[in-house]
Amino acid sequence: SSGINAEYGGPISALAFSENGYYLATSADDEVVKLWDLRKLKNFKTISLEDKYNVRSLTFDNSGHYLAVAGPDVRVYQISKQCDLITTWKAHTQDATSVKFGPNVEYLASVSNDRTLKFYSSPTASA
């Protein structure tokens, strides 16, 4: 095989490709999310999370400009050189297990071990 060969500090827990084919996001049990530029086969950003933050799901919006992370909370990052955290929701009583953007980033939905489905409006409104 060829391409990316990366070492992680624990078992890999989630991965997501952007629809535009430019990016791959990966996470492992090491409290980081790594962003890869697939055109250069290079890790261009590592987002450090809090101690014991267990990433359960990653997803890009359809433009590849935003990344949602599900775990103890639900977060949205704007993908850029800085990869700024733009919003965080703590709506579930247990870990969020999956997260998905709606069309044109108009909303975000998450599900959780607490057996609930949550909708969030305009997650990028502050971006």
Side-chain angles (χ1 to χ4, degrees), residues 12-85:
I12 297 173
S13 59
L15 64 87
F17 287 97
S18 64
E19 284 190 34
N20 61 16
Y22 294 167
Y23 305 119
L24 171 68
T26 60
S27 64
D29 292 347
D30 56 2
E31 295 92 27
V32 298
V33 173
K34 293 182 180 184
L35 295 170
W36 304 88
D37 185 328
L38 296 176
R39 297 162 292 181
K40 299 175 184 175
L41 298 178
K42 180 180 175 187
N43 173 220
F44 72 93
K45 181 67 179 176
T46 299
I47 300 169
S48 296
L49 304 168
E50 294 84 32
D51 188 41
K52 309 243 188 248
Y53 193 101
N54 183 18
V55 175
R56 303 292 299 270
S57 177
L58 299 167
T59 191
F60 286 95
D61 74 304
N62 59 358
S63 72
H65 292 127
Y66 300 98
L67 176 70
V69 178
D73 53 30
V74 175
R75 301 174 178 199
V76 176
Y77 291 87
Q78 185 171 17
I79 304 303
S80 63
K81 289 183 181 178
Q82 290 78 31
C83 293
D84 296 322
L85 175 63

